[in-house]
Amino acid sequence: MPSSFSDETQLSNIERERRRYRRRQTQGSVLVSLASTLVFAGLVALVLSRSPGWERVRQTFFSSHYFGLSFLPVLRGIANNVKILAFATVGVAILGTLIAAIRTTRSAVLFPLRALAAVYTDFMRGVPIMVLLFIVGFGVPGLGLTKGRISEILLGTIVITMAYSAYVAEVLRAGIQSVHPSQRAAARSLGLSYNQTLRLVILPQAIRRVIPPLMNDFVSMQKDVGLVSVLGVVDAVRAAQIETAHSFNFTSYVVAALLFVALSWPFIWLTDAYARRRRQREESAGVV
Amino acid sequence: MLNAAQEVQKTGEVSAEPAPGFDRGSIPVLSLRNIHKAFGDNVVLRGIDLDVSLHEVVCLIGASGSGKSTLMRSINLLEQIDDGQIFLDGDDISDPRIDADKVRARIGVVFQHYNLFPHMSVLDNVTLASRKVLHIDRNTAEDKGRVMLRRIGIDDKADCFPDQLSGGQAQRVAIARALVTNPKLLLLDEITSALDPQLVGEVLDLVAELKREGTTIVMATHEMTFARHIADTVVYLESGRIAEAGPPQQVFETPVYEGTKRFLSRVLDWVS
Ligand SMILES: Nc1ncnc2c1ncn2[C@@H]1O[C@H](COP(=O)(O)OP(=O)(O)OP(=O)(O)O)[C@@H](O)[C@H]1O
Ligand SMILES: [Mg+2]
């Protein structure tokens, strides 16, 4: 029996040979993927530089002069995106959970509420966000319910919340239904109430299972916040548009694109890290 | 030890007290009167009458599908019965005006597949009901929980998650979780049938110890040898009725009813 499995001199010949084989396999795979990446990058560079319009495209989209000029305005614009995103995230979390909870009830008394929630999710997922923005963004102020002007940022936040709470509710509902009914029975047997069972036992398991699709929705919501520019909010997209109107140069859009990517990067990274951690935890149970 | 705690809980209870002078000790912990239950056209329970007195251990035996689980789920109000009455300590818990959550807190249940909460540590599983139902503060609840885990011999696993336990350990944790609120009555539904043979022993040992401490237990089981040793009363269910009931010697050795004989010869043959 070897005292340590990391000290190869102590291992049996068979295990040493197995490890040599695995190492060779790994090295081979790394080489293949490295080579294919280099070839692909080379091809792209070749096609771009050989195309007749490349010089003009480079100046209109990737000009360092206009990059510097438009960076600050676009950055100020994206601050508005972040603001809307933050409030909409809270709104979506609350409304989405509420709708999912309503849709997973069974009692006959709650049927009208359940039907309402079903219609809501179907409707909100069917209507393009742009159309919703026009209807709410121009319709609600038109009602004249408030004395002052309703800020476009608030209207945009409401629309994004409405649309995405429907998506998130469906994801959460799938998660809730994936938790085995025996978990509910066990929780109720302990004397926990319906709400306690949902909050302490069902939702934590459900959310864990649907974190990847939830994160997906979050990143996509982040991009759709850019649509509120149609209401006149000076967000990153609108700011880039304004810059372009001054300079007839499209570099500001590239700035906006980069800033959007930078904004979503931490969340994408977080999702991947979470998925990796889960995989590792699950893999510790075996090799397959 | 357990009974002292049960006494404390009894005095602190908010449920309807019986009339003065009424002796609680003389009434059964559990009384079933004419219980009926059907799932659609499938009539599962056809008039069950049963009394379980304090410290008594009742074993339910019967073929698969005879309604053992349904009866236990009905007692715990997880199923709504179609007719009859269920009394827990003299309170009619089949009355729709009763707070079902409070009733369930007075009954401990352990299922075949443990049903531990996978997202909580062992200790959190065990203390959840103390904290959220009895509203005991976390420190006190955890002290109590650790005492309970030590009793079942797995206090070293307090911070593990359920998927890191063996089947026998998981089932013992499930029992600890059911006991931590000092329930009046413990319902055990085939708690060993998902376990490997060598793990069955460690769980049954724990049940035997609970009996010595005076816990009132109703258990459904296919472990006939164990039922014979531990039961005060054996109840044989057949097509939703109690076909035969009595002390284990009587039911196992001199059954009167033909169905009981047939059932026993089938399962005992199969075991040996
Ligand atoms: N939720 C349900 N819906 C419909 N039918 C059910 C439900 N639960 C149980 N039944 C039916 O009730 C009958 C009794 O089931 P039950 O689970 O009580 O049997 P059991 O005696 O516990 O059997 P086993 O020994 O296999 O556990 C079966 O015919 C079953 O199909
Ligand atoms: Mg059963």
Side-chain angles (χ1 to χ4, degrees):
Chain A
M1 190 71 194
S3 61
S4 152
F5 290 108
S6 51
D7 182 1
E8 296 220 356
T9 55
Q10 306 237 8
L11 293 168
S12 70
N13 283 333
I14 299 230
E15 176 60 24
R16 261 184 291 180
E17 147 63 20
R18 281 200 294 246
R19 289 189 185 196
R20 259 201 306 282
Y21 174 75
R22 282 189 206 123
R23 258 199 304 277
R24 269 203 308 278
Q25 287 259 298
T26 315
Q27 281 161 1
S29 314
V30 170
L31 278 179
V32 167
S33 66
L34 196 67
S36 53
T37 310
L38 284 177
V39 167
F40 179 72
L43 273 176
V44 170
L46 195 72
V47 168
L48 279 182
S49 60
R50 295 288 298 271
S51 55
W54 168 239
E55 200 40 45
R56 214 177 52 236
V57 167
R58 204 183 60 77
Q59 277 171 13
T60 2
F61 285 91
F62 303 102
S63 142
S64 57
H65 173 69
Y66 287 111
F67 190 99
L69 223 56
S70 59
F71 188 78
L72 268 184
V74 177
L75 187 67
R76 265 197 297 276
I78 211 159
N80 275 334
N81 291 64
V82 173
K83 204 190 290 175
I84 296 177
L85 184 67
F87 285 112
T89 303
V90 176
V92 165
I94 296 171
L95 198 59
T97 311
L98 202 67
I99 294 170
I102 291 173
R103 292 204 67 181
T104 48
T105 53
R106 294 263 187 77
S107 101
V109 198
L110 294 179
F111 174 77
L113 259 184
R114 246 189 334 262
L116 185 69
V119 169
Y120 179 88
T121 46
D122 288 352
F123 186 80
M124 288 301 165
R125 287 183 305 159
V127 179
I129 294 185
M130 193 67 98
V131 175
L132 206 58
L133 276 167
F134 282 127
I135 296 175
V136 174
F138 300 124
V140 170
L143 292 175
L145 289 173
T146 52
K147 277 223 194 69
R149 211 173 113 269
I150 311 175
S151 100
E152 296 84 14
I153 292 192
L154 177 63
L155 288 169
T157 309
I158 290 173
V159 169
I160 296 290
T161 304
M162 282 165 77
Y164 271 88
S165 58
Y167 289 106
V168 166
E170 286 302 279
V171 171
L172 283 178
R173 184 163 75 104
I176 289 173
Q177 281 168 345
S178 79
V179 177
H180 197 271
S182 63
Q183 286 284 315
R184 203 182 280 270
R188 296 305 297 274
S189 305
L190 289 175
L192 296 180
S193 68
Y194 185 93
N195 288 335
Q196 283 179 316
T197 300
L198 189 66
R199 189 162 47 82
L200 301 167
V201 175
I202 308 294
L203 270 180
Q205 296 183 56
I207 290 175
R208 243 160 263 228
R209 284 178 207 188
V210 296
I211 276 186
L214 278 182
M215 279 300 191
N216 237 343
D217 278 346
F218 181 73
V219 171
S220 125
M221 174 164 102
Q222 196 163 296
K223 288 187 295 182
D224 281 348
V225 167
L227 295 174
V228 300
S229 58
V230 301
L231 297 181
V233 178
V234 185
D235 79 319
V237 178
R238 189 51 175 261
Q241 201 181 359
I242 294 169
E243 291 304 306
T244 305
H246 289 320
S247 62
F248 301 106
N249 185 290
F250 289 89
T251 305
S252 52
Y253 280 113
V254 175
V255 173
L258 290 178
L259 286 178
F260 269 110
V261 172
L263 186 60
S264 61
W265 194 269
F267 299 103
I268 293 175
W269 183 84
L270 220 65
T271 319
D272 288 351
Y274 176 79
R276 218 172 17 248
R277 225 191 56 206
R278 256 183 79 131
R279 209 164 39 240
Q280 271 163 7
R281 205 183 129 95
E282 274 151 25
E283 269 170 8
S284 70
V287 284
V288 234
Chain B
M1 179 198 96
L2 211 61
N3 289 315
Q6 276 175 344
E7 289 306 317
V8 172
Q9 213 205 334
K10 187 186 261 178
T11 50
E13 238 168 48
V14 285
S15 59
E17 283 296 316
F22 192 87
D23 180 12
R24 269 212 183 234
S26 69
I27 54 170
V29 174
L30 177 75
S31 283
L32 304 178
R33 290 287 169 267
N34 193 32
I35 306 294
H36 282 80
K37 171 75 193 170
F39 294 104
D41 296 339
N42 182 9
V43 183
V44 179
L45 302 178
R46 302 163 192 267
I48 302 277
D49 287 285
L50 182 68
D51 281 336
V52 181
S53 45
L54 196 62
H55 310 314
E56 191 179 0
V57 174
V58 173
C59 284
L60 299 177
I61 60 171
S64 185
S66 55
K68 305 182 292 292
S69 298
T70 307
L71 183 59
M72 304 253 240
R73 290 173 61 85
S74 304
I75 296 170
N76 197 33
L77 308 184
L78 288 174
E79 300 286 357
Q80 191 180 322
I81 55 174
D82 295 324
D83 198 3
Q85 280 178 294
I86 306 170
F87 297 91
L88 183 67
D89 256 345
D91 306 327
D92 182 355
I93 60 171
S94 44
D95 187 326
R97 275 158 296 202
I98 203 136
D99 182 344
D101 295 332
K102 287 223 176 76
V103 170
R104 293 197 192 95
R106 288 157 65 191
I107 302 176
V109 186
V110 183
F111 303 90
Q112 182 175 1
H113 294 284
Y114 352 122
N115 301 350
L116 294 178
F117 305 129
H119 61 295
M120 292 182 190
S121 71
V122 164
L123 188 61
D124 283 346
N125 261 283
V126 171
T127 57
L128 182 69
S130 306
R131 287 183 281 124
K132 301 296 174 180
V133 180
L134 305 183
H135 304 290
I136 297 173
D137 70 281
R138 188 176 259 278
N139 285 334
T140 317
E142 294 199 340
D143 290 344
K144 251 178 92 179
R146 282 184 198 280
V147 169
M148 192 59 82
L149 288 177
R150 199 166 312 131
R151 258 185 69 199
I152 61 168
I154 40 179
D155 41 334
D156 55 323
K157 301 277 185 196
D159 300 316
C160 287
F161 281 82
D163 61 355
Q164 297 162 323
L165 301 178
S166 76
Q169 290 168 339
Q171 195 56 292
R172 284 186 286 155
V173 171
I175 295 175
R177 181 177 70 176
L179 284 175
V180 86
T181 51
N182 300 314
K184 285 282 144 61
L185 173 68
L186 190 59
L187 302 177
L188 308 176
D189 190 359
E190 292 187 33
I191 55 171
T192 56
S193 54
L195 299 179
D196 290 341
Q198 75 267 30
L199 298 178
V200 169
E202 65 182 58
V203 172
L204 292 185
D205 285 347
L206 178 57
V207 177
E209 196 195 318
L210 294 177
K211 178 191 160 79
R212 276 196 298 280
E213 286 167 3
T215 316
T216 309
I217 300 175
V218 174
M219 72 185 292
T221 184
H222 288 301
E223 301 282 336
M224 295 303 154
T225 327
F226 180 72
R228 193 174 185 148
H229 281 121
I230 199 173
D232 298 306
T233 305
V234 175
V235 171
Y236 172 67
L237 280 187
E238 191 180 273
S239 22
R241 289 201 182 81
I242 295 183
E244 183 148 10
Q249 297 87 331
Q250 183 197 313
V251 175
F252 283 111
E253 278 150 37
T254 54
V256 234
Y257 177 62
E258 273 310 311
T260 320
K261 287 182 197 162
R262 251 177 303 161
F263 172 75
L264 285 175
S265 70
R266 215 169 49 234
V267 288
L268 294 177
D269 274 359
W270 181 74
V271 168
S272 56

